[in-house]
Amino acid sequence: MRIDHVPTPPHPAPVGARLRAITATCLLTLIPTLATAATPTGKLTGTVGHANTDVNTTATFTGTGNDRTVTLDFRDPYGCSVSAPFVKEDATSANFRIRPSTSSGGWCDRLKPDVIFKPAAAVDGKAAWRIDFSSKSNDWTGTLVLSTGP
């Protein structure tokens, strides 16, 4: 058997083409996070915690523009809620200022005033935000996810 033509391996793509492909892949990976606004809207649910304490939490956003407010409802073991009007936002975070608690939960009365929301990686395809705030003795953090239910 005679071979008239020996195939040559394909030439690698030029460096520029490979770099464009890598850049495009990275951007497509980041687009869901970049598309999430710094200030969430609607209702978010999830868990906040510190050390060995986790608290189921709901954040409900109302209003528009500079008249936005978030109401934070903390479940057991604390069972209290606070509202926090909008203060400011930038490209990476939205800041709210906690008002004194109107519920009977003593834990809510010990929260420091600042609460910060930052876009986070989507959870199960749903938009998510990281929440950070402090009580008098601990720093709390968690991930809250856009709720599609009541």
Side-chain angles (χ1 to χ4, degrees):
M1 174 197 254
R2 183 175 163 203
I3 299 177
D4 291 328
H5 175 64
V6 176
T8 58
H11 294 285
V15 172
R18 283 185 282 176
L19 184 58
R20 282 191 300 276
I22 291 169
T23 301
T25 302
C26 290
L27 285 174
L28 289 174
T29 304
L30 291 174
I31 284 174
T33 300
L34 295 174
T36 303
T39 304
T41 58
K43 184 185 215 179
L44 307 178
T45 58
T47 304
V48 297
H50 90 90
N52 294 325
T53 303
D54 291 327
V55 181
N56 289 330
T57 303
T58 301
T60 305
F61 294 84
T62 56
T64 60
N66 288 332
D67 293 325
R68 294 172 279 183
T69 299
V70 61
T71 299
L72 299 170
D73 293 307
F74 301 102
R75 306 290 190 251
D76 289 338
Y78 300 115
C80 60
S81 63
V82 293
S83 67
F86 172 79
V87 175
K88 67 178 180 174
E89 70 182 332
D90 58 30
T92 62
S93 66
N95 298 2
F96 292 78
R97 179 81 24 93
I98 295 174
R99 292 181 180 145
S101 172
T102 57
S103 66
S104 60
W107 180 76
C108 279
D109 294 334
R110 294 187 300 277
L111 295 177
K112 291 186 178 178
D114 295 316
V115 60
I116 299 171
F117 289 89
K118 295 180 180 180
V123 175
D124 296 328
K126 295 180 183 178
W129 284 264
R130 176 187 164 116
I131 179 174
D132 294 293
F133 62 94
S134 297
S135 63
K136 295 211 180 206
S137 55
N138 298 300
D139 292 329
W140 295 78
T141 191
T143 299
L144 303 180
V145 178
L146 187 61
S147 176
T148 55

Short mmCIF file of all heavy atoms in Angstrom, two decimals, residues 71-124:
data_model
loop_
_atom_site.label_atom_id
_atom_site.label_comp_id
_atom_site.label_asym_id
_atom_site.label_seq_id
_atom_site.Cartn_x
_atom_site.Cartn_y
_atom_site.Cartn_z
N THR A 71 -36.61 45.72 54.68
CA THR A 71 -37.06 45.21 55.97
C THR A 71 -36.43 43.83 56.14
O THR A 71 -36.58 42.96 55.29
CB THR A 71 -38.60 45.09 56.03
OG1 THR A 71 -39.15 46.40 55.84
CG2 THR A 71 -39.05 44.54 57.37
N LEU A 72 -35.68 43.68 57.22
CA LEU A 72 -35.00 42.41 57.53
C LEU A 72 -35.79 41.68 58.61
O LEU A 72 -35.98 42.21 59.71
CB LEU A 72 -33.57 42.67 58.00
CG LEU A 72 -32.66 43.37 57.00
CD1 LEU A 72 -31.36 43.78 57.68
CD2 LEU A 72 -32.38 42.46 55.82
N ASP A 73 -36.26 40.49 58.28
CA ASP A 73 -36.98 39.64 59.24
C ASP A 73 -36.08 38.47 59.62
O ASP A 73 -35.70 37.66 58.77
CB ASP A 73 -38.28 39.11 58.62
CG ASP A 73 -39.28 40.21 58.38
OD1 ASP A 73 -39.56 40.97 59.32
OD2 ASP A 73 -39.77 40.32 57.23
N PHE A 74 -35.72 38.41 60.89
CA PHE A 74 -34.87 37.35 61.42
C PHE A 74 -35.75 36.34 62.15
O PHE A 74 -36.51 36.70 63.03
CB PHE A 74 -33.81 37.92 62.37
CG PHE A 74 -32.92 38.95 61.71
CD1 PHE A 74 -33.13 40.30 61.93
CD2 PHE A 74 -31.89 38.56 60.88
CE1 PHE A 74 -32.32 41.26 61.33
CE2 PHE A 74 -31.07 39.51 60.27
CZ PHE A 74 -31.29 40.86 60.50
N ARG A 75 -35.63 35.07 61.79
CA ARG A 75 -36.42 34.01 62.41
C ARG A 75 -35.74 33.54 63.69
O ARG A 75 -34.82 34.16 64.19
CB ARG A 75 -36.60 32.85 61.43
CG ARG A 75 -37.18 33.26 60.08
CD ARG A 75 -38.64 33.66 60.23
NE ARG A 75 -39.26 33.82 58.92
CZ ARG A 75 -39.61 34.97 58.40
NH1 ARG A 75 -39.39 36.09 59.05
NH2 ARG A 75 -40.16 35.04 57.22
N ASP A 76 -36.20 32.39 64.21
CA ASP A 76 -35.63 31.81 65.43
C ASP A 76 -34.13 31.64 65.29
O ASP A 76 -33.67 31.30 64.20
CB ASP A 76 -36.28 30.45 65.72
CG ASP A 76 -37.72 30.60 66.18
OD1 ASP A 76 -38.07 31.69 66.65
OD2 ASP A 76 -38.48 29.63 66.05
N PRO A 77 -33.38 31.88 66.30
CA PRO A 77 -33.79 32.05 67.69
C PRO A 77 -34.09 33.49 68.08
O PRO A 77 -34.42 33.77 69.22
CB PRO A 77 -32.58 31.55 68.47
CG PRO A 77 -31.41 31.91 67.60
CD PRO A 77 -31.91 31.75 66.19
N TYR A 78 -33.99 34.45 67.12
CA TYR A 78 -34.13 35.85 67.49
C TYR A 78 -35.54 36.40 67.31
O TYR A 78 -35.99 37.20 68.12
CB TYR A 78 -33.11 36.71 66.74
CG TYR A 78 -31.70 36.25 67.06
CD1 TYR A 78 -30.88 35.70 66.10
CD2 TYR A 78 -31.23 36.33 68.36
CE1 TYR A 78 -29.60 35.27 66.42
CE2 TYR A 78 -29.96 35.89 68.69
CZ TYR A 78 -29.15 35.36 67.71
OH TYR A 78 -27.91 34.91 68.03
N GLY A 79 -36.23 36.04 66.24
CA GLY A 79 -37.61 36.43 66.04
C GLY A 79 -37.87 37.92 66.11
O GLY A 79 -38.72 38.37 66.88
N CYS A 80 -37.16 38.71 65.32
CA CYS A 80 -37.38 40.15 65.33
C CYS A 80 -37.15 40.69 63.92
O CYS A 80 -36.66 39.99 63.04
CB CYS A 80 -36.46 40.83 66.33
SG CYS A 80 -34.69 40.60 66.04
N SER A 81 -37.51 41.95 63.72
CA SER A 81 -37.30 42.56 62.42
C SER A 81 -36.90 44.02 62.57
O SER A 81 -37.19 44.66 63.59
CB SER A 81 -38.55 42.43 61.55
OG SER A 81 -39.62 43.13 62.12
N VAL A 82 -36.22 44.52 61.55
CA VAL A 82 -35.80 45.92 61.51
C VAL A 82 -36.01 46.44 60.08
O VAL A 82 -36.02 45.66 59.12
CB VAL A 82 -34.32 46.11 61.90
CG1 VAL A 82 -34.08 45.78 63.36
CG2 VAL A 82 -33.40 45.31 61.00
N SER A 83 -36.16 47.75 59.96
CA SER A 83 -36.17 48.35 58.62
C SER A 83 -34.91 49.20 58.49
O SER A 83 -34.35 49.68 59.48
CB SER A 83 -37.43 49.18 58.41
OG SER A 83 -37.43 50.30 59.24
N ALA A 84 -34.48 49.35 57.25
CA ALA A 84 -33.24 50.09 56.99
C ALA A 84 -33.41 50.87 55.69
O ALA A 84 -33.49 50.29 54.62
CB ALA A 84 -32.06 49.13 56.90
N PRO A 85 -33.46 52.20 55.78
CA PRO A 85 -33.53 53.00 54.56
C PRO A 85 -32.21 52.99 53.80
O PRO A 85 -31.15 52.81 54.39
CB PRO A 85 -33.85 54.41 55.06
CG PRO A 85 -33.88 54.36 56.53
CD PRO A 85 -33.58 52.99 56.99
N PHE A 86 -32.34 53.21 52.51
CA PHE A 86 -31.19 53.29 51.60
C PHE A 86 -30.31 54.48 51.98
O PHE A 86 -30.81 55.56 52.31
CB PHE A 86 -31.70 53.44 50.17
CG PHE A 86 -30.64 53.74 49.16
CD1 PHE A 86 -29.83 52.73 48.68
CD2 PHE A 86 -30.46 55.03 48.68
CE1 PHE A 86 -28.85 53.00 47.74
CE2 PHE A 86 -29.49 55.31 47.74
CZ PHE A 86 -28.69 54.29 47.26
N VAL A 87 -28.97 54.27 51.92
CA VAL A 87 -28.02 55.35 52.19
C VAL A 87 -27.27 55.71 50.91
O VAL A 87 -27.28 56.84 50.47
CB VAL A 87 -27.01 54.97 53.30
CG1 VAL A 87 -25.96 56.05 53.48
CG2 VAL A 87 -27.74 54.69 54.60
N LYS A 88 -26.59 54.72 50.30
CA LYS A 88 -25.81 54.98 49.10
C LYS A 88 -25.48 53.67 48.41
O LYS A 88 -25.62 52.60 49.00
CB LYS A 88 -24.52 55.73 49.43
CG LYS A 88 -23.53 54.91 50.25
CD LYS A 88 -22.25 55.66 50.52
CE LYS A 88 -21.30 54.78 51.33
NZ LYS A 88 -20.00 55.40 51.52
N GLU A 89 -25.04 53.79 47.16
CA GLU A 89 -24.56 52.61 46.43
C GLU A 89 -23.44 53.03 45.51
O GLU A 89 -23.30 54.19 45.16
CB GLU A 89 -25.69 51.93 45.67
CG GLU A 89 -26.21 52.68 44.48
CD GLU A 89 -27.36 51.96 43.80
OE1 GLU A 89 -27.44 50.73 43.87
OE2 GLU A 89 -28.20 52.65 43.20
N ASP A 90 -22.64 52.03 45.14
CA ASP A 90 -21.63 52.23 44.12
C ASP A 90 -21.70 51.02 43.20
O ASP A 90 -22.67 50.26 43.26
CB ASP A 90 -20.23 52.45 44.73
CG ASP A 90 -19.78 51.31 45.62
OD1 ASP A 90 -20.18 50.15 45.37
OD2 ASP A 90 -19.01 51.56 46.56
N ALA A 91 -20.71 50.81 42.38
CA ALA A 91 -20.75 49.72 41.41
C ALA A 91 -20.73 48.34 42.07
O ALA A 91 -21.12 47.36 41.45
CB ALA A 91 -19.59 49.85 40.44
N THR A 92 -20.30 48.25 43.33
CA THR A 92 -20.14 46.93 43.95
C THR A 92 -21.00 46.68 45.17
O THR A 92 -21.05 45.56 45.66
CB THR A 92 -18.67 46.69 44.35
OG1 THR A 92 -18.30 47.68 45.32
CG2 THR A 92 -17.75 46.77 43.14
N SER A 93 -21.66 47.70 45.71
CA SER A 93 -22.43 47.46 46.94
C SER A 93 -23.53 48.49 47.12
O SER A 93 -23.51 49.56 46.52
CB SER A 93 -21.51 47.49 48.16
OG SER A 93 -20.98 48.78 48.35
N ALA A 94 -24.49 48.13 47.95
CA ALA A 94 -25.57 49.04 48.35
C ALA A 94 -25.60 49.07 49.87
O ALA A 94 -25.61 48.01 50.52
CB ALA A 94 -26.90 48.56 47.79
N ASN A 95 -25.62 50.27 50.44
CA ASN A 95 -25.60 50.43 51.90
C ASN A 95 -26.95 50.93 52.39
O ASN A 95 -27.53 51.84 51.81
CB ASN A 95 -24.52 51.42 52.31
CG ASN A 95 -23.13 50.96 51.94
OD1 ASN A 95 -22.95 49.92 51.32
ND2 ASN A 95 -22.15 51.74 52.28
N PHE A 96 -27.40 50.35 53.49
CA PHE A 96 -28.63 50.74 54.15
C PHE A 96 -28.31 51.01 55.61
O PHE A 96 -27.35 50.46 56.15
CB PHE A 96 -29.68 49.64 54.02
CG PHE A 96 -30.19 49.44 52.61
CD1 PHE A 96 -29.44 48.75 51.67
CD2 PHE A 96 -31.41 49.97 52.22
CE1 PHE A 96 -29.90 48.57 50.38
CE2 PHE A 96 -31.88 49.80 50.93
CZ PHE A 96 -31.12 49.10 50.00
N ARG A 97 -29.11 51.82 56.30
CA ARG A 97 -28.88 52.17 57.70
C ARG A 97 -30.05 51.65 58.53
O ARG A 97 -31.19 52.08 58.36
CB ARG A 97 -28.76 53.69 57.82
CG ARG A 97 -28.55 54.25 59.19
CD ARG A 97 -27.13 54.21 59.75
NE ARG A 97 -26.00 54.17 58.88
CZ ARG A 97 -25.31 55.21 58.41
NH1 ARG A 97 -25.65 56.42 58.71
NH2 ARG A 97 -24.26 55.03 57.64
N ILE A 98 -29.76 50.74 59.44
CA ILE A 98 -30.80 50.11 60.28
C ILE A 98 -31.37 51.13 61.26
O ILE A 98 -30.63 51.82 61.96
CB ILE A 98 -30.22 48.89 61.04
CG1 ILE A 98 -29.81 47.80 60.04
CG2 ILE A 98 -31.21 48.37 62.06
CD1 ILE A 98 -29.10 46.62 60.65
N ARG A 99 -32.69 51.20 61.29
CA ARG A 99 -33.40 52.02 62.27
C ARG A 99 -33.56 51.21 63.55
O ARG A 99 -33.53 49.98 63.52
CB ARG A 99 -34.79 52.39 61.75
CG ARG A 99 -34.78 53.31 60.58
CD ARG A 99 -36.21 53.62 60.18
NE ARG A 99 -36.26 54.52 59.05
CZ ARG A 99 -37.18 54.46 58.11
NH1 ARG A 99 -38.14 53.56 58.16
NH2 ARG A 99 -37.16 55.32 57.11
N PRO A 100 -33.82 51.85 64.66
CA PRO A 100 -34.09 51.09 65.89
C PRO A 100 -35.25 50.11 65.67
O PRO A 100 -36.20 50.41 64.96
CB PRO A 100 -34.46 52.17 66.90
CG PRO A 100 -33.78 53.40 66.39
CD PRO A 100 -33.81 53.29 64.89
N SER A 101 -35.15 48.96 66.29
CA SER A 101 -36.14 47.91 66.13
C SER A 101 -37.51 48.34 66.65
O SER A 101 -37.61 48.98 67.69
CB SER A 101 -35.68 46.66 66.87
OG SER A 101 -36.69 45.69 66.88
N THR A 102 -38.55 47.94 65.91
CA THR A 102 -39.92 48.19 66.38
C THR A 102 -40.56 46.90 66.87
O THR A 102 -41.69 46.90 67.32
CB THR A 102 -40.79 48.77 65.25
OG1 THR A 102 -40.76 47.87 64.14
CG2 THR A 102 -40.27 50.14 64.83
N SER A 103 -39.82 45.79 66.76
CA SER A 103 -40.34 44.51 67.26
C SER A 103 -39.82 44.28 68.67
O SER A 103 -39.02 45.04 69.19
CB SER A 103 -39.92 43.37 66.32
OG SER A 103 -38.52 43.22 66.36
N SER A 104 -40.26 43.22 69.27
CA SER A 104 -39.88 42.95 70.67
C SER A 104 -38.59 42.15 70.80
O SER A 104 -38.26 41.71 71.88
CB SER A 104 -41.03 42.22 71.37
OG SER A 104 -41.27 40.99 70.70
N GLY A 105 -37.88 41.95 69.69
CA GLY A 105 -36.66 41.14 69.77
C GLY A 105 -35.48 41.94 70.27
O GLY A 105 -35.04 42.89 69.64
N GLY A 106 -34.96 41.59 71.44
CA GLY A 106 -33.83 42.30 72.01
C GLY A 106 -32.58 42.23 71.15
O GLY A 106 -31.77 43.15 71.14
N TRP A 107 -32.40 41.12 70.40
CA TRP A 107 -31.22 40.97 69.56
C TRP A 107 -31.20 42.07 68.49
O TRP A 107 -30.16 42.65 68.22
CB TRP A 107 -31.21 39.58 68.93
CG TRP A 107 -30.03 39.34 68.04
CD1 TRP A 107 -28.75 39.06 68.44
CD2 TRP A 107 -30.01 39.36 66.61
NE1 TRP A 107 -27.94 38.91 67.35
CE2 TRP A 107 -28.69 39.07 66.20
CE3 TRP A 107 -30.97 39.57 65.64
CZ2 TRP A 107 -28.32 39.01 64.88
CZ3 TRP A 107 -30.61 39.50 64.32
CH2 TRP A 107 -29.29 39.22 63.94
N CYS A 108 -32.35 42.36 67.91
CA CYS A 108 -32.41 43.40 66.88
C CYS A 108 -32.04 44.76 67.44
O CYS A 108 -31.52 45.61 66.73
CB CYS A 108 -33.81 43.45 66.25
SG CYS A 108 -34.07 42.20 64.97
N ASP A 109 -32.30 44.98 68.72
CA ASP A 109 -31.95 46.25 69.34
C ASP A 109 -30.44 46.42 69.47
O ASP A 109 -29.96 47.53 69.68
CB ASP A 109 -32.59 46.37 70.73
CG ASP A 109 -34.10 46.45 70.65
OD1 ASP A 109 -34.62 46.89 69.60
OD2 ASP A 109 -34.76 46.06 71.62
N ARG A 110 -29.69 45.33 69.37
CA ARG A 110 -28.23 45.38 69.52
C ARG A 110 -27.49 45.39 68.19
O ARG A 110 -26.27 45.26 68.16
CB ARG A 110 -27.77 44.21 70.38
CG ARG A 110 -28.26 44.31 71.82
CD ARG A 110 -27.66 43.26 72.73
NE ARG A 110 -27.95 41.89 72.36
CZ ARG A 110 -29.06 41.22 72.67
NH1 ARG A 110 -30.01 41.80 73.35
NH2 ARG A 110 -29.21 39.98 72.30
N LEU A 111 -28.22 45.53 67.07
CA LEU A 111 -27.56 45.57 65.76
C LEU A 111 -26.92 46.93 65.53
O LEU A 111 -27.49 47.96 65.87
CB LEU A 111 -28.56 45.27 64.65
CG LEU A 111 -29.16 43.87 64.66
CD1 LEU A 111 -30.18 43.75 63.53
CD2 LEU A 111 -28.08 42.81 64.54
N LYS A 112 -25.74 46.91 64.95
CA LYS A 112 -25.09 48.17 64.55
C LYS A 112 -25.81 48.68 63.30
O LYS A 112 -26.46 47.92 62.60
CB LYS A 112 -23.61 47.93 64.32
CG LYS A 112 -22.88 47.63 65.62
CD LYS A 112 -21.39 47.54 65.42
CE LYS A 112 -20.69 47.29 66.74
NZ LYS A 112 -19.25 47.16 66.57
N PRO A 113 -25.69 49.96 63.00
CA PRO A 113 -26.58 50.55 61.99
C PRO A 113 -26.34 50.16 60.53
O PRO A 113 -27.26 50.21 59.74
CB PRO A 113 -26.38 52.05 62.16
CG PRO A 113 -25.13 52.22 62.92
CD PRO A 113 -24.91 50.97 63.69
N ASP A 114 -25.13 49.79 60.14
CA ASP A 114 -24.87 49.58 58.71
C ASP A 114 -25.11 48.16 58.26
O ASP A 114 -24.66 47.21 58.89
CB ASP A 114 -23.43 49.97 58.39
CG ASP A 114 -23.17 51.45 58.60
OD1 ASP A 114 -24.04 52.25 58.18
OD2 ASP A 114 -22.14 51.80 59.19
N VAL A 115 -25.83 48.02 57.14
CA VAL A 115 -26.02 46.73 56.48
C VAL A 115 -25.65 46.93 55.02
O VAL A 115 -26.04 47.91 54.39
CB VAL A 115 -27.45 46.17 56.66
CG1 VAL A 115 -28.49 47.10 56.09
CG2 VAL A 115 -27.58 44.79 56.05
N ILE A 116 -24.85 46.01 54.49
CA ILE A 116 -24.32 46.14 53.13
C ILE A 116 -24.72 44.92 52.31
O ILE A 116 -24.59 43.78 52.76
CB ILE A 116 -22.78 46.26 53.17
CG1 ILE A 116 -22.39 47.51 53.97
CG2 ILE A 116 -22.20 46.32 51.76
CD1 ILE A 116 -20.92 47.62 54.26
N PHE A 117 -25.19 45.18 51.10
CA PHE A 117 -25.52 44.12 50.14
C PHE A 117 -24.56 44.22 48.97
O PHE A 117 -24.30 45.30 48.46
CB PHE A 117 -26.95 44.30 49.61
CG PHE A 117 -28.00 43.99 50.63
CD1 PHE A 117 -28.47 44.98 51.48
CD2 PHE A 117 -28.52 42.71 50.75
CE1 PHE A 117 -29.43 44.71 52.43
CE2 PHE A 117 -29.49 42.42 51.70
CZ PHE A 117 -29.94 43.42 52.54
N LYS A 118 -24.02 43.05 48.55
CA LYS A 118 -23.13 42.98 47.40
C LYS A 118 -23.60 41.84 46.51
O LYS A 118 -23.98 40.78 47.01
CB LYS A 118 -21.69 42.70 47.83
CG LYS A 118 -21.06 43.80 48.64
CD LYS A 118 -19.64 43.45 49.02
CE LYS A 118 -19.01 44.56 49.84
NZ LYS A 118 -17.66 44.25 50.23
N PRO A 119 -23.58 42.03 45.18
CA PRO A 119 -23.95 40.93 44.30
C PRO A 119 -23.07 39.72 44.56
O PRO A 119 -21.87 39.85 44.82
CB PRO A 119 -23.71 41.49 42.90
CG PRO A 119 -23.77 42.98 43.07
CD PRO A 119 -23.22 43.24 44.45
N ALA A 120 -23.67 38.55 44.50
CA ALA A 120 -22.95 37.28 44.70
C ALA A 120 -23.22 36.37 43.51
O ALA A 120 -24.09 36.66 42.68
CB ALA A 120 -23.41 36.62 46.00
N ALA A 121 -22.50 35.29 43.45
CA ALA A 121 -22.73 34.31 42.38
C ALA A 121 -24.15 33.76 42.50
O ALA A 121 -24.66 33.56 43.61
CB ALA A 121 -21.71 33.18 42.48
N ALA A 122 -24.78 33.53 41.36
CA ALA A 122 -26.14 32.99 41.34
C ALA A 122 -26.18 31.65 42.07
O ALA A 122 -25.22 30.90 42.08
CB ALA A 122 -26.61 32.83 39.91
N VAL A 123 -27.33 31.37 42.69
CA VAL A 123 -27.55 30.10 43.40
C VAL A 123 -28.69 29.39 42.69
O VAL A 123 -29.81 29.91 42.62
CB VAL A 123 -27.90 30.35 44.88
CG1 VAL A 123 -28.24 29.04 45.58
CG2 VAL A 123 -26.75 31.06 45.59
N ASP A 124 -28.41 28.22 42.14
CA ASP A 124 -29.42 27.46 41.39
C ASP A 124 -30.07 28.32 40.31
O ASP A 124 -31.29 28.27 40.10
CB ASP A 124 -30.48 26.87 42.32
CG ASP A 124 -29.90 25.85 43.29
OD1 ASP A 124 -28.92 25.17 42.92
OD2 ASP A 124 -30.42 25.75 44.42
#
